[in-house]
């Protein structure tokens, strides 16, 4: 375990390799076949037809999607859900442009006419036609006795007809001009599943689950012919005459019974419960082409109607054929000619819409290009990681597959082992895609399987029957069609409860088993002799793995812990805690110095063993992560969860270090450029660099320096115009932090004011997270303005005190102006010319209005009123000031007189009170002297 710190992995990059995009039900193909629109629960997924990557997700409401169609020009998509809401989506912006609600019930099907202006919906037993632009109903058709399953517009706009098929076995033709039912076609005895119109527009084809296809003449709506298919037909498609399919089929000369029809034959194909594609001609009832084998999964229960294909579409421009299976797979076929001048359908691409719950994963081959996936169905799906498609499916198990393991033989042959609930183990050759061996003998489900690591000549299996068995692989044949039945070399009753995991040591000397009985046991191979029992976990053990370099084994348990044990004596060396729920898988990385784990909490964690530290935690799954596989060559790993998502994880430690070094170098250069810009007084460039370097303190200093200079507004506006919306949001976040400190709030408020000048209210609202930012700004701004108002009010008392002490105006006139002097007055004062408030007339000290701005003193001004011209004006230092004009606040004559008279009256009343007090004291002294007989003191004395 001697690995330097520089070799430790610190970060992995997650790439969603395969995600769920189709959960069954409706889907639609774009006119150019470049993408698919698929129903995925309550949403619509727009999926690339090449690699199944999700381009966009159209979020629906609480109802499951029931119908989807795409307009003929590919601009709009129409969807309906269980909530009866019909939506129109713009595929260029992936936004809903209009919506309306269905009238009667749930929309089971939807179709768009050739012009794209009308949409028909099947609502239970009724058919409605809607105007797309207006969203109103133009036609209301009723008459079916069963639920309408399929609807179709006539492809020719000259024929304004609409066809509908129902559970009652009838096909109705609706005339859009007369708004009446033109014909009722009765020949089916089961649900009508599919409708199609011939290229010439005069023949209607209908398929039903009564295993027949009927042809109808649209000139007089007469029945023409019945073709027996001998299978439940789920879909039929008319083959275009210019396609490769029609060209090849035209070379076949079928035997025509009866009178030959002069019109050209109609070629069409059908798919159904048999899971094969068959092609027909209207001239005869014989099948012209039948697929040799099925690529769809066939249900083992014959009574199960959900099997084979459920839909098919002939792709335009000779792009082949698309078939959809009942287990959410999209199969793309290409016609390939064979030696007999015929053609076969070559499966070009397979897209899996949903993998259900993933139980196990394993890389295949030395190059680790392929990934084997076990899900809760009886098949193994092998995916190509390069093309991100499912290249083939391994079928043979009759029940759910629970575990997988792979190995590469010395000859380069890649083998895959799978254990299933059917109590068997199968060995697969991944190149020939065939089962080459089978091991039967367990009495319950096989829950764990492990290949030999060194010699590759045996496989070990564990089961719910609590036993471990060793099987020899010596009898494997190179013949792809020959299946070998393996025999058990050793058997042991290993645990008291189910066995969950097995692991073989790198030298094939030991095998370790983990069980629900909370213990792990180490056994010596090949005779399965017990070596040591590992006890210490408080819950069942889900995963075991040997270290690739040390004599130790790692276990993961349901008690949320991971432990490392010594093989020699079974002592616990280390315990790792961090998961909040059961840990399902743990595997070594970086030559045994690190490991990765996943569990029931949906987390993936990267650990360093030496420091007992969790290096990184990743949350890229929304459900339990049951499966984990680590590549031996590249050390990339993959995880699979119950949400049907498979993620690939690539080591990006070296890339992150390189990016960090490059970023550091760029930061040093930008720092130097910033210093140069400050020295050169190039504030615009300096602000930009400080913002890019994410230095808010330096950015504040730059704004502060600009505010101290002239033309600050223009310079800040120029700097702000170069910022984008996201950058302005970051700047507002800085301002919010500056605004929390009284020393910095003035600059913060000034810059914020300039931002509001640059952006309109609409643009401000569009900024992400602006509500939270403004909320933080408003609270502190209110504090600052309240504090400033309190300070300004406090200065008023200081002004008054200094004035009364004759500090501000020591040379004031001793005489106050008389009350009857109405024609003029003069004042010399250093105080502000601010009006008094009317509400403060009764106060002894005149109150001045609240002002948050700084006031400017006017020293020794000579002020008098001039009414020579009839206006009430004020003359200040021989300069005429009109009414309403002031230095800072408007001042009229009456307010000034009131202030002066109030002050004079206060002085005079104070003198009167003093004289009255002195007279009272004198009178008291005189009375006292008279009563005592003492001569009175003279007042003059």
């Amino acid at each position: 375990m001697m690995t330097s710190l520089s070799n430790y992995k610190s970060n992995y990059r997650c790439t969603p390799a395969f995600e769920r995009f189709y959960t069954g039900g409706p889907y639609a193909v774009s006119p150019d076949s470049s993408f698919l629109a698929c129903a995925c629960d309550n949403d619509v997924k727009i999926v690339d037809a090449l690699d199944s990557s999700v381009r966009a997700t159209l979020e629906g409401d609480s109802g499951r999607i029931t119908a989807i169609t795409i307009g003929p020009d590919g601009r709009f998509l129409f969807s309906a859900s269980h909530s009866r809401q019909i939506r129109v989506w713009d595929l260029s912006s992936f936004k809903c442009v209009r919506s309306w609600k269905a009238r009667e019930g749930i929309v089971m099907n939807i179709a768009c006419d050739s012009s794209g202006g009308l949409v028909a919906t099947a609502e239970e037993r009724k058919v409605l036609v809607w105007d797309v632009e207006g969203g109103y109903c133009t036609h209301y058709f009723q008459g079916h006795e069963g639920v309408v399953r399929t609807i179709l517009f006539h492809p020719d706009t000259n024929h304004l007809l609409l066809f509908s098929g129902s559970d009652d076995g009838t096909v109705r033709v609706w005339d859009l001009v007369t708004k009446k039912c033109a014909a009722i076609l009765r020949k089916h005895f089961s649900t009508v599943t599919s409708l199609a119109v011939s290229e010439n527009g005069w023949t209607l084809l209908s398929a039903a689950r009564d295993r027949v296809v009927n042809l109808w003449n649209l000139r007089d709506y007469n029945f023409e012919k019945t073709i027996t298919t001998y299978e439940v037909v789920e879909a039929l498609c008319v083959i275009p005459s210019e396609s490769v399919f029609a060209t090849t089929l035209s070379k076949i000369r079928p035997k025509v019974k009866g009178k030959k029809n002069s019109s050209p034959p109609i070629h069409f194909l059908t798919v159904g419960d048999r899971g094969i594609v068959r092609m027909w001609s209207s001239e005869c009832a014989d099948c012209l082409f039948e697929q040799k084998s099925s690529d769809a999964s066939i249900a083992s229960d014959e009574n199960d109607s959900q099997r084979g294909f459920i839909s098919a579409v002939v792709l335009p421009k000779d792009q082949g054929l698309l078939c959809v299976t009942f287990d959410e797979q999209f199969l793309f076929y290409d016609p390939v000619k064979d030696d007999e001048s015929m053609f076969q359908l070559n499966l070009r691409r397979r897209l899996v819409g949903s993998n259900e719950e993933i139980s196990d994963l394993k890389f295949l081959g030395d190059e680790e290009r392929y990934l084997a996936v076990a899900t809760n169905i009886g098949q193994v799906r092998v995916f190509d990681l390069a093309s991100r498609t499912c290249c083939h499916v391994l079928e043979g198990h009759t029940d759910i597959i629970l575990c997988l393991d792979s190995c590469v033989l010395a000859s380069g042959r890649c083998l895959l082992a799978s254990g299933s609930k059917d109590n068997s183990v199968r060995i697969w050759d991944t190149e020939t895609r065939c089962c080459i061996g089978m091991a039967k003998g367990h009495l319950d489900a096989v829950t764990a399987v492990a290949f030999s690591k060194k010699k590759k000549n045996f496989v070990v299996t564990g089961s719910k029957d609590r036993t471990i068995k060793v099987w020899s692989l010596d009898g494997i044949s190179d013949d792809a069609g020959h299946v070998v039945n393996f025999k058990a070399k050793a058997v042991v009753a290993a645990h008291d409860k189910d066995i969950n995991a097995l692991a073989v040591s790198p030298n094939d000397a030991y095998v370790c088993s983990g069980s629900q009985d909370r213990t792990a046991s180490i056994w010596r191979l090949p005779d399965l002799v017990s070596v040591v029992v590992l006890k210490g976990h408080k819950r069942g053990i889900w995963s075991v793995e040997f270290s690739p370099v040390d004599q130790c084994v790692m276990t993961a348990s349901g008690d949320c812990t991971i432990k490392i044990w010594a093989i020699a004596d079974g002592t616990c060396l280390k315990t790792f805690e961090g998961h909040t729920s059961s840990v399902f898988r743990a595997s070594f990385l970086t030559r045994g110095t690190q490991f990765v784990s996943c569990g029931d909490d949906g987390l993936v964690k990267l650990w360093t063993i030496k420091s007992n530290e969790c290096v990184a935690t990743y949350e890229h799954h929304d459900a339990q992560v049951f499966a984990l596989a680590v590549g031996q060559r590249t050390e990339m790993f993959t995880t699979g969860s119950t949400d049907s998502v498979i993620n690939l994880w690539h080591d990006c430690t070296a890339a992150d270090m390189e990016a960090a070094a490059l970023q550091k170098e760029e930061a040093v250069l930008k720092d130097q450029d910033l210093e140069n810009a400050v020295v050169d007084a190039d504030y615009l460039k300096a602000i930009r660099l400080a913002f890019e370097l994410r230095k808010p303190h330096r950015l504040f200093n730059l704004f502060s320096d600009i505010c101290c200079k002239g033309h600050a507004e223009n310079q800040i506006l120029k700097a702000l115009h170069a910022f984008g919306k996201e950058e302005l949001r970051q700047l507002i976040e800085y301002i919010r932090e500056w605004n929390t400190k009284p020393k910095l709030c003035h600059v913060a408020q000034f810059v914020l004011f300039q931002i509001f000048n640059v952006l309109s209210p609409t643009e401000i609202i569009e900024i992400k997270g602006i509500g939270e930012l403004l909320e933080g700004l408003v609270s502190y701004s209110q504090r600052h303005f309240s504090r400033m108002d309190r300070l300004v009010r406090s200065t008023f008392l200081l002004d008054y005190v200094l004035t009364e002490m004759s500090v501000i105006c020591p040379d004031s006139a001793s005489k106050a102006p008389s009350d009857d002097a109405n024609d003029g007055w003069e004042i010399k004062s250093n105080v502000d010319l601010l009006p008094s408030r009317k509400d403060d007339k009764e106060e002894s000290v005149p109150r001045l209005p609240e002002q948050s701005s700084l006031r400017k003193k006017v020293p020794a001004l000579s002020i008098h009123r001039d009414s020579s011209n009839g206006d009430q004006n004020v003359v200040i230092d021989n300069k005429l000031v009109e009414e309403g004009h002031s230095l800072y606040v408007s001042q009229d004559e009456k307010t000034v007189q009131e202030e002066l008279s109030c002050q004079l009256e206060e002085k005079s009343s104070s003198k009167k009170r003093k004289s009255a007090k002195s007279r009272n004291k004198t009178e008291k002294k005189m009375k006292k002297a008279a009563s005592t007989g003492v001569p009175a003191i003279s007042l003059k004395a």
Side-chain angles (χ1 to χ4, degrees), residues 807-819:
V807 173
I808 295 179
C809 184
D811 298 332
S812 299
S814 59
K815 293 183 178 181
S818 60
D819 296 338

Side-chain angles (χ1 to χ4, degrees), residues 610-805:
K610 184 177 181 180
S611 60
N612 276 42
E613 178 187 4
C614 178
V615 178
T617 300
Y618 307 99
E619 299 183 38
H620 290 274
H621 287 282
D622 297 328
Q624 302 168 328
V625 184
F626 271 116
L628 170 66
V630 177
Q632 300 300 320
R633 186 178 64 87
T634 59
E635 286 203 338
M636 71 172 179
F637 65 89
T638 179
T639 54
S641 64
T642 57
D643 59 0
S644 187
V645 174
I646 301 174
N647 288 331
L648 283 177
W649 304 80
H650 299 274
D651 178 23
C652 59
T653 304
D656 289 348
M657 293 177 63
E658 183 178 353
L662 182 61
Q663 185 177 5
K664 185 177 180 180
E665 182 180 354
E666 292 178 355
V668 171
L669 296 177
K670 287 183 178 181
D671 277 334
Q672 185 61 46
D673 292 340
L674 175 60
E675 297 296 334
N676 296 338
V678 172
V679 172
D680 298 339
D682 188 356
Y683 289 104
L684 297 182
K685 183 178 179 181
I687 289 173
R688 187 67 189 178
L689 290 173
F691 188 84
E692 290 178 356
L693 293 172
R694 295 295 186 265
K695 293 186 175 182
H697 182 68
R698 190 63 181 274
L699 188 63
F700 173 82
N701 292 335
L702 292 172
F703 282 127
S704 180
D705 293 343
I706 293 177
C707 291
C708 296
K709 298 181 180 296
H711 306 290
E713 296 182 1
N714 296 334
Q715 295 190 46
I716 293 180
L717 285 175
K718 289 181 182 179
L720 294 179
H721 278 299
F723 283 60
K725 286 187 177 181
E726 185 62 27
E727 294 173 330
L728 287 174
R729 187 200 65 78
Q730 184 65 42
L731 180 58
I732 295 175
E733 187 173 345
Y734 291 157
I735 293 174
R736 182 185 64 178
E737 300 300 324
W738 301 339
N739 196 47
T740 59
K741 300 178 181 179
K743 293 182 179 180
L744 311 180
C745 67
H746 300 86
V747 177
Q749 290 290 331
F750 186 74
V751 178
L752 182 64
F753 178 72
Q754 301 305 326
I755 292 178
F756 289 159
N757 288 335
V758 172
L759 297 178
S760 64
T762 305
E763 294 174 333
I764 294 174
I765 293 174
E766 293 176 354
I767 297 177
K768 185 178 180 181
I770 189 63
E772 182 180 355
L773 295 175
L774 292 181
E775 185 178 352
L777 283 167
V778 169
S779 60
Y780 277 95
S781 297
Q782 290 176 346
R783 292 185 185 181
H784 296 321
F785 282 110
S786 299
R787 175 175 53 83
M788 295 173 67
D789 288 340
R790 289 195 302 270
L791 292 175
V792 171
R793 289 185 183 186
S794 301
T795 62
F796 297 157
L797 179 61
L798 179 62
D799 292 344
Y800 174 74
V801 171
L802 294 177
T803 303
E804 293 301 315
M805 293 173 63

